[in-house]
Amino acid sequence: MDSEQKILSEETVNFAKSVNVFDLAKALGLPLSKTGRSYFTNCFVHSEKTPSLSIEPGKNRFHCFGQCTDTGGTGAISFMMYYQWGKFDESLFPKAVEEVCYYMGYTVTYVDGSDRKSDRPARPLFVQSQREDSPLAEPQLVAAVYRSLIDKLSLKKEHLDHLLHERKMTTDVIRLRQYRSYPDKPYLIARDISDEFTTLEGVPGFYESVKKDSSGVYWNMSGTNGILIPVRNEYGVVQGFQLRVESPMLHPVIEVIGEHPLKAEISDGYVLTVHYKKRLIYSGKVTGNDQIPIQIAGETVGKVRIKKRNKYIWLSSNEKRKGSKIVPTYHVAYPPEAMPDGSTIDCSVVDITEGPLKGDIMSEFTGRPAVCFPGLSQWTLAFEGAMKLQPKKVILAIDGDAIRTVVNKDKEDERVEAGEVIRSFIRAFSAEGVSIDLALWDIASSAKGIDDLYLAGLRPQYFPIIDFS
């Protein structure tokens, strides 16, 4: 489309900005093949036989994984620049807006009151599906659904081998603890469970998916490959699951020099893309712990550090249709002989540690109940859970490296001192008249965690802090 350059109306510009790359690609008649969440087509900037240009409707972005790795960006206007002129150039913005409107069948209007109609049919715009959380379901429903989930799942050989050989559990203990593998086809498990209940709405880990042809919905499970570890209360009731992830997700952390609006994302294929004002300036595959300098016109404007997310995550379905976010809670681990509800065990002495799997292993060696909390910042959960057992003494067994300093994985530069958490435990339990011991061990010559220590055939030293006996 050739025209004298006029000033576009705000309404026209806003329309072009609202167009999804996926819709524009269809309007252009590009052949699209779906792979996962993306669609692929032949790149129009370089000639190729195998489609390498990826379009992600959900994130309204595109990227070429072929020869021209700098082709990519967000939004239909950028897409049109590459399609028509083979490059991103801000001076082409007005013409690109006109082209987008033309192919979408939208009338372009200008500030002088004139307009330009398109001879193409108006096309509907892509609408991102609404995924809204639901309130957490009643505890009775959550517990019943989780019982059904455990009954329908099994343990994969590689996960069984991990528990047998690396965690040194027996098959009887594994059976009692009810560890399970995340299913290969979670939607089939969710379907079978949904047949047993009126609804799964609000049960963390389950959500409603929309069929590809929009003809209906079906229940599904969130999560990824790994070991599901039941998280139980003092009565042995499963309140949730922690998932020991097989391959932790990667997370980009941007460190900017000066004032440069950089945006970084990592795709499912571990490809890092960095954008500057919607223009792609970097793309490449990454692994854990990479540090990548980012340059614009030969000038370093920052760097991106790649970090692995937590190895343990909650089974949760927040921000998904009729799903719900898990409410972190404590885990009570009883020795195998006292399972499931601990009614046959002396709870006068209770161990306190981090993580349900660690607590399960610890309780087997000590013969005592262990109350576990998800992380240092949630220490109050362990206090709450321990007091349900009415102990006379607690033993604080915090990881050896955490005694010094732990870096918060979600907030860079924020450091949580484990020493302060221990002091908080001491204040809380002493106020209730509960005696306190501190378990210590040498992490340099023995093990990092209390579970590793016991599995190595070693034991911690106990130091009395407060004695009310």
Side-chain angles (χ1 to χ4, degrees):
M1 289 178 56
D2 228 346
S3 68
E4 295 180 9
Q5 194 58 61
K6 299 179 180 180
I7 300 176
L8 298 163
S9 69
E10 183 178 354
E11 180 184 13
T12 296
V13 173
N14 288 339
F15 172 81
K17 287 181 176 179
S18 72
V19 175
N20 192 279
V21 175
F22 177 66
D23 286 328
L24 180 58
K26 289 194 298 181
L28 291 168
L30 299 177
L32 300 168
S33 58
K34 194 172 190 301
T35 302
R37 300 176 183 174
S38 301
Y39 292 81
F40 280 83
T41 189
N42 288 336
C43 181
F44 32 75
V45 178
H46 77 278
S47 59
E48 61 181 6
K49 294 181 179 179
T50 303
S52 64
L53 183 66
S54 168
I55 296 173
E56 289 186 73
K59 295 184 178 179
N60 193 22
R61 68 183 183 184
F62 62 99
H63 177 67
C64 177
F65 291 97
Q67 295 177 16
C68 53
T69 54
D70 59 344
T71 298
T74 58
I77 300 173
S78 295
F79 189 85
M80 182 57 74
M81 289 183 189
Y82 282 104
Y83 179 79
Q84 288 284 39
W85 300 282
K87 62 180 179 179
F88 179 90
D89 186 340
E90 290 184 355
S91 67
L92 297 171
F93 182 87
K95 291 183 178 180
V97 168
E98 290 177 334
E99 292 290 321
V100 170
C101 292
Y102 170 76
Y103 281 100
M104 296 303 295
Y106 183 84
T107 299
V108 176
T109 60
Y110 302 94
V111 295
D112 64 2
S114 62
D115 62 35
R116 172 168 294 198
K117 292 180 172 57
S118 172
D119 57 6
R120 300 173 69 92
R123 304 183 68 93
L125 297 181
F126 173 86
V127 179
Q128 182 74 16
S129 59
Q130 297 297 313
R131 301 187 305 180
E132 297 181 355
D133 287 13
S134 292
L136 187 65
E138 291 296 320
Q140 295 87 342
L141 174 60
V142 174
V145 170
Y146 288 162
R147 284 197 300 271
S148 179
L149 177 62
I150 289 172
D151 289 343
K152 288 175 173 55
L153 295 180
S154 59
L155 198 59
K156 295 178 183 177
K157 184 180 183 303
E158 60 265 30
H159 296 153
L160 176 62
D161 289 343
H162 171 81
L163 295 172
L164 286 172
H165 304 305
E166 295 188 39
R167 303 292 180 166
K168 299 182 181 179
M169 294 182 180
T170 65
T171 53
D172 286 340
V173 169
I174 293 171
R175 177 181 55 81
L176 281 170
R177 300 288 189 196
Q178 296 182 316
Y179 302 121
R180 297 291 187 267
S181 296
Y182 185 82
D184 291 329
K185 297 180 178 179
Y187 58 91
L188 294 181
I189 300 297
R191 180 198 65 187
D192 292 345
I193 293 176
S194 68
D195 289 341
E196 302 175 17
F197 300 91
T198 304
T199 181
L200 300 181
E201 182 175 358
V203 178
F206 294 87
Y207 66 97
E208 206 173 57
S209 285
V210 180
K211 293 182 179 180
K212 291 181 180 179
D213 60 2
S214 300
S215 62
V217 296
Y218 62 96
W219 285 103
N220 207 342
M221 273 184 68
S222 59
T224 186
N225 186 36
I227 303 176
L228 285 166
I229 304 163
V231 176
R232 304 175 185 273
N233 64 12
E234 61 274 19
Y235 303 108
V237 176
V238 177
Q239 307 176 95
F241 292 91
Q242 276 210 336
L243 182 58
R244 185 183 183 274
V245 179
E246 202 73 21
S247 301
M249 296 292 291
L250 300 181
H251 171 61
V253 179
I254 300 174
E255 296 181 3
V256 179
I257 300 173
E259 296 182 4
H260 294 90
L262 300 180
K263 182 179 180 181
E265 288 184 324
I266 298 177
S267 69
D268 294 341
Y270 297 107
V271 174
L272 169 70
T273 55
V274 181
H275 291 81
Y276 172 74
K277 293 183 177 179
K278 294 188 177 182
R279 181 166 64 92
L280 181 70
I281 59 174
Y282 179 86
S283 174
K285 283 214 166 191
V286 291
T287 58
N289 303 318
D290 290 342
Q291 292 198 33
I292 301 158
I294 304 300
Q295 294 185 334
I296 298 176
E299 177 189 356
T300 299
V301 296
K303 68 178 179 179
V304 177
R305 290 191 294 113
I306 309 301
K307 299 191 67 178
K308 287 186 177 180
R309 290 197 181 275
N310 291 343
K311 185 77 172 177
Y312 293 87
I313 62 174
W314 287 98
L315 183 67
S316 184
S317 50
N318 57 309
E319 297 184 3
K320 294 182 183 289
R321 180 185 174 114
K322 294 191 178 180
S324 186
K325 182 178 181 180
I326 186 71
V327 177
T329 185
Y330 57 84
H331 169 63
V332 179
Y334 293 117
E337 63 272 15
M339 291 186 68
D341 60 1
S343 58
T344 62
I345 192 175
D346 178 11
C347 294
S348 60
V349 180
V350 173
D351 292 295
I352 307 289
T353 192
E354 292 179 76
L357 185 57
K358 188 175 297 183
D360 288 349
I361 294 171
M362 182 181 185
S363 67
E364 185 176 354
F365 280 92
T366 64
R368 299 187 295 262
V371 177
C372 316
F373 54 104
L376 290 176
S377 63
Q378 296 171 314
W379 67 270
T380 55
L381 296 175
F383 172 71
E384 175 191 349
M387 292 308 298
K388 297 285 182 66
L389 302 181
Q390 299 180 343
K392 294 181 180 178
K393 181 168 74 173
V394 295
I395 300 174
L396 305 179
I398 311 299
D399 276 4
D401 62 343
I403 293 295
R404 297 177 298 183
T405 302
V406 170
V407 177
N408 186 306
K409 296 181 178 61
D410 294 322
K411 296 181 180 178
E412 296 302 312
D413 302 325
E414 180 182 348
R415 293 179 174 267
V416 179
E417 293 289 345
E420 179 55 37
V421 172
I422 291 173
R423 287 190 288 272
S424 298
F425 270 128
I426 293 172
R427 287 191 291 267
F429 282 118
S430 61
E432 299 294 331
V434 178
S435 299
I436 305 160
D437 283 2
L438 183 62
L440 295 176
W441 59 96
D442 182 4
I443 65 170
S445 59
S446 54
K448 169 190 168 183
I450 189 71
D451 54 336
D452 300 320
L453 188 75
Y454 281 111
L455 292 174
L458 304 173
R459 298 292 183 271
Q461 290 182 288
Y462 298 112
F463 295 89
I465 302 300
I466 295 179
D467 187 359
F468 288 103
S469 59

